[in-house]
Amino acid sequence: MGKTKDSGVEERPKWDNKVQYLLTCIGFAVGLGNVWRFPYLCQIYGGGAFLIPYLIALVFAGLPLLYLELAIGQRLRMGSIGVWTSISPLLGGVGIASMLVSFLVGIFYNTILAWVLWYFFHSFQNPLPWSQCPLNDNLTGYNVECVKSTPSNYFWYRETLNVTPDIETSGSLHWWLVICLASAWFVVYVCFIKGIASIGKAVYVTATFPYLVLTVFLIRGLTLPGATDGLLYLFTPDWEILKNPQVWLDAFTQIFFSLSLAFGGLIAFSSYNPERNNCERDAILVGVINSATSIYASISIFSILGFKATTAFNSCVKENILALTNHFEFSDQNITADKYDHWVEYLNRTSPGELASVDLRHCDLQTFLDQSASGTGLAFIVFTEAVVEMPGSQIWAILFFVMLFTLGLSSMFGTIEGILRPIKDLKLMPEWMPNELRTAVICSIAFLTALIFTMGSGNYWVEVFNSYAGSVPLLIIAFFEIIGVIYGRGMKTFSEDIYFMTGKRPNIFWKACWMVISPVMLLVVLVAYVGIQAQTHPSYHAWNPAYELFPKTEMKPYPDWVFAIIVLLCVLPLISIPLVALYQLVRSRIKRSSALVVLNPYCNDGFEVEPQEQKNQRA
């Protein structure tokens, strides 16, 4: 990692090579959402039909905003606060808002990595601990809560989270989660200890290893029975679903958050580039690879989930065959899985009364495929159940959780950079403090703050932060970014900036997106999102063994005090935008007033002081 002087003021680090920079940006953009959010959206929104609004959102909103952030960071060679302050002092609060959002997102995001570490450590056991129910306290049978639900549900909610029945019951700190959380933050610190000098080396592993694992999973998944059913289910289009406005809203928010826009990390990373670098090509490359990764991960994941559904369907049929064989006293192997439907139809014609008395489960492959899950539900429950059914389950579990950890770790690099660079620009820490110590202080503060997520109610708070800390604030920040560059710095000046860096001016497509299409889309998505959220009181899924419909999760409304915290999470990061603008306006007015006083030709104060001093001397 070399260093370069920036305008003679400060030695600024730079990337060793272009590959380091691209891998870091790709690693920041490609995260856990590509693996467990995008496949879920494809599944519930008509499979292949969801790709239409998704690609429209990528072309007209995602790529233009990504290009804008990379270009302005590279041209001005500053972090987020420096960039927006140099464009206009009134926009200084935009950089502070990005820093606050990065901190709020970082503390819950790294908690997910702590959960991944917990599962990784347990993946070396044989059999896997989520493959069977533990014995009860009396050792006379299996744990009742586990039997009522499933072993994977029990290991997640009870063994890992030891979750409380609602968010108001905090519970105590769980030491095993505290240790995993401390380990996750220690890994982040070690990778970031030398800034981009160390993460530039780490991304060679963290940004590439997930693709290796996804490829291995894809090859293995395609050889499993039922993989074709999973892929057909994922990509069979349902065109009617495109009439639902929620589909378009989710497509735009997925693109926006998947590319990690408005966090400030991309601006900081691009500022370490040489001034003459083709940032347009970089933006297109990062954006296309990010979306292609989402589709690629979906194929890998759903080939295995198709296998899981087929296995569950076959188990269901076998149970029914056993029930029919015992009831009608058929000989073994008389009813086979291939002839099951034929036999049920035959018995329904010949002995409908007796058949009705047999307790048969409803076995439908489509029903098992419909059991969709997103986020932690997909990673820690559904996929772990699928891994158990695969030969050599320990190896697949280890690979899966290492992949999740490296995906999340590379995203944390951009999040931490979005915190550290603004702190340095604001001079919130002493100049004599080395970067290693600054990073240690920030990671320690983040770790202590994140301890709330290691309590019994921690999972509920992770959902609160995940749903609200990075939603409305990022949309508003992005809107101010695009308005600040195009109408603050000016389209003409920005075009000249790009010409200076790339050797060509932006074409009509980019200009149209920056000036009209992207801002309008951002406003529409923001208004629609706020409108949908305002229609209902926010609620959450609680794991409550006393719930009458258990093992289904109980839907509970958030208490008023939690709702107040949700509002704060949405509003608090944005307060800096009007406050800084107001401060700069007042400051400029005071400066203007003082300048008028100094330059006032009718002011005689200077002539009055001299005689007064002379009078005093004479006295």
Side-chain angles (χ1 to χ4, degrees):
M1 181 66 59
K3 296 209 170 186
T4 184
K5 286 194 175 182
D6 186 20
S7 305
V9 176
E10 176 191 2
E11 285 195 354
R12 190 168 188 83
K14 64 179 182 179
W15 301 104
D16 280 349
N17 52 63
K18 184 68 173 287
V19 174
Q20 275 189 359
Y21 165 65
L22 288 176
L23 285 178
T24 305
C25 289
I26 291 169
F28 183 30
V30 176
L32 297 174
N34 296 74
V35 173
W36 67 29
R37 177 66 178 166
F38 178 82
Y40 167 76
L41 292 175
C42 280
Q43 184 183 13
I44 64 172
Y45 287 144
F50 178 74
L51 293 177
I52 293 176
Y54 178 81
L55 292 176
I56 290 174
L58 172 67
V59 172
F60 292 102
L63 289 179
L65 280 165
L66 180 61
Y67 185 11
L68 181 139
E69 286 200 356
L70 296 183
I72 200 67
Q74 180 176 308
R75 182 67 181 97
L76 298 182
R77 302 179 61 72
M78 300 177 184
S80 57
I81 289 181
V83 162
W84 304 120
T85 303
S86 65
I87 290 176
S88 171
L90 299 178
L91 293 174
V94 175
I96 298 175
S98 293
M99 177 187 69
L100 293 175
V101 171
S102 293
F103 179 80
L104 293 174
V105 170
I107 59 175
F108 88 78
Y109 201 88
N110 218 32
T111 302
I112 297 175
L113 297 191
W115 295 340
V116 170
L117 282 179
W118 170 256
Y119 269 77
F120 169 73
F121 295 146
H122 283 80
S123 296
F124 292 91
Q125 297 183 28
N126 186 18
L128 292 172
W130 54 83
S131 64
Q132 57 190 18
C133 287
L135 296 174
N136 58 24
D137 295 335
N138 298 327
L139 304 179
T140 57
Y142 291 112
N143 182 281
V144 176
E145 182 181 348
C146 181
V147 171
K148 286 184 177 179
S149 55
T150 62
S152 58
N153 272 321
Y154 180 81
F155 186 82
W156 168 240
Y157 286 110
R158 191 57 55 212
E159 297 286 348
T160 302
L161 303 175
N162 195 18
V163 70
T164 55
D166 56 65
I167 195 171
E168 293 185 277
T169 308
S170 297
S172 58
L173 294 176
H174 300 325
W175 62 267
W176 58 92
L177 291 181
V178 173
I179 292 174
C180 290
L181 182 65
S183 302
W185 277 109
F186 179 74
V187 171
V188 170
Y189 171 70
V190 169
C191 292
F192 218 97
I193 193 168
K194 295 289 186 181
I196 67 168
S198 53
I199 66 172
K201 305 296 188 295
V203 292
Y204 285 120
V205 176
T206 61
T208 57
F209 185 77
Y211 292 96
L212 174 63
V213 176
L214 284 174
T215 303
V216 172
F217 268 106
L218 177 61
I219 295 172
R220 182 67 183 103
L222 292 177
T223 62
L224 294 172
T228 306
D229 294 318
L231 296 180
L232 286 175
Y233 180 84
L234 176 63
F235 288 115
T236 301
D238 177 11
W239 304 113
E240 290 297 317
I241 203 76
L242 295 179
K243 297 177 182 178
N244 182 0
Q246 184 68 39
V247 178
W248 295 83
L249 177 61
D250 281 343
F252 275 81
T253 52
Q254 173 65 16
I255 272 292
F256 184 83
F257 299 131
S258 176
L259 289 172
S260 301
L261 300 170
F263 281 94
L266 291 171
I267 294 176
F269 286 152
S270 64
S271 70
Y272 303 126
N273 271 337
E275 283 187 300
R276 297 183 184 275
N277 171 65
N278 194 336
C279 48
E280 178 184 8
R281 183 175 57 201
D282 296 343
I284 294 174
L285 190 62
V286 172
V288 170
I289 288 177
N290 174 71
S291 296
T293 303
S294 296
I295 299 172
Y296 190 59
S298 299
I299 297 172
S300 302
I301 295 296
F302 269 88
S303 64
I304 293 176
L305 293 185
F307 160 72
K308 175 183 176 294
T310 301
T311 303
F313 171 75
N314 291 336
S315 298
C316 179
V317 170
K318 286 179 181 179
E319 288 181 18
N320 287 354
I321 290 175
L322 182 61
L324 290 173
T325 301
N326 292 336
H327 183 82
F328 289 97
E329 298 181 352
F330 293 137
S331 60
D332 292 342
Q333 306 301 323
N334 201 4
I335 305 178
T336 61
D338 294 336
K339 297 180 179 179
Y340 169 73
D341 291 333
H342 171 74
W343 271 99
V344 171
E345 184 181 346
Y346 169 74
L347 291 172
N348 197 32
R349 288 198 316 266
T350 58
S351 309
E354 282 193 74
L355 183 63
S357 65
V358 182
D359 185 16
L360 296 179
R361 291 176 58 192
H362 177 68
C363 300
D364 180 27
L365 181 61
Q366 190 70 24
T367 302
F368 291 107
L369 288 170
D370 283 338
Q371 293 174 354
S372 58
S374 174
T376 54
L378 175 64
F380 300 117
I381 298 176
V382 175
F383 204 82
T384 52
E385 288 179 347
V387 165
V388 167
E389 302 295 335
M390 296 170 64
S393 54
Q394 286 80 17
I395 295 175
W396 299 112
I398 291 169
L399 283 175
F400 179 67
F401 290 113
V402 171
M403 178 192 72
L404 288 185
F405 190 80
T406 52
L407 271 175
L409 186 61
S410 55
S411 293
M412 280 298 296
F413 293 157
T415 306
I416 296 298
E417 181 67 20
I419 301 170
L420 286 173
R421 189 70 221 180
I423 285 177
K424 189 174 182 180
D425 292 343
L426 289 171
K427 296 180 172 57
L428 296 179
M429 293 185 182
E431 288 292 324
W432 54 264
M433 187 179 289
N435 288 331
E436 295 85 349
L437 186 55
R438 288 178 187 167
T439 306
V441 169
I442 295 303
C443 288
S444 299
I445 293 173
F447 164 71
L448 294 174
T449 308
L451 287 176
I452 184 179
F453 304 126
T454 64
M455 298 191 299
S457 60
N459 183 50
Y460 304 134
W461 285 111
V462 167
E463 289 301 321
V464 168
F465 275 69
N466 185 29
S467 300
Y468 300 102
S471 55
V472 173
L474 287 177
L475 291 172
I476 294 177
I477 290 169
F479 180 76
F480 275 101
E481 283 184 355
I482 200 166
I483 295 300
V485 171
I486 302 306
Y487 297 101
R489 187 172 181 82
M491 187 69 247
K492 184 177 180 181
T493 304
F494 189 51
S495 294
E496 293 301 320
D497 292 337
I498 292 176
Y499 178 74
F500 172 76
M501 293 184 292
T502 66
K504 60 179 181 179
R505 292 177 176 82
N507 56 39
I508 188 65
F509 168 76
W510 296 116
K511 290 182 179 180
C513 287
W514 287 330
M515 297 182 72
V516 181
I517 299 174
S518 296
V520 170
M521 282 185 167
L522 276 175
L523 271 182
V524 170
V525 171
L526 176 63
V527 171
Y529 182 86
V530 173
I532 290 174
Q533 293 293 328
Q535 288 177 5
T536 57
H537 189 83
S539 57
Y540 66 103
H541 293 274
W543 181 260
N544 183 11
Y547 180 46
E548 57 184 5
L549 298 179
F550 185 80
K552 289 186 177 180
T553 53
E554 183 179 4
M555 183 68 74
K556 291 185 175 182
Y558 282 116
D560 291 339
W561 64 275
V562 176
F563 181 71
I565 293 176
I566 289 174
V567 174
L568 278 178
L569 284 175
C570 294
V571 175
L572 192 61
L574 300 173
I575 291 178
S576 61
I577 298 177
L579 284 183
V580 170
L582 183 63
Y583 167 76
Q584 293 293 350
L585 286 173
V586 172
R587 185 183 177 196
S588 63
R589 179 160 295 188
I590 292 174
K591 278 187 175 181
R592 196 179 300 116
S593 301
S594 61
L596 289 173
V597 169
V598 171
L599 298 175
N600 188 351
Y602 303 105
C603 179
N604 294 318
D605 293 347
F607 296 97
E608 293 175 357
V609 173
E610 183 71 22
Q612 184 64 37
E613 290 179 350
Q614 292 175 357
K615 288 179 183 178
N616 292 338
Q617 289 174 358
R618 285 198 299 269

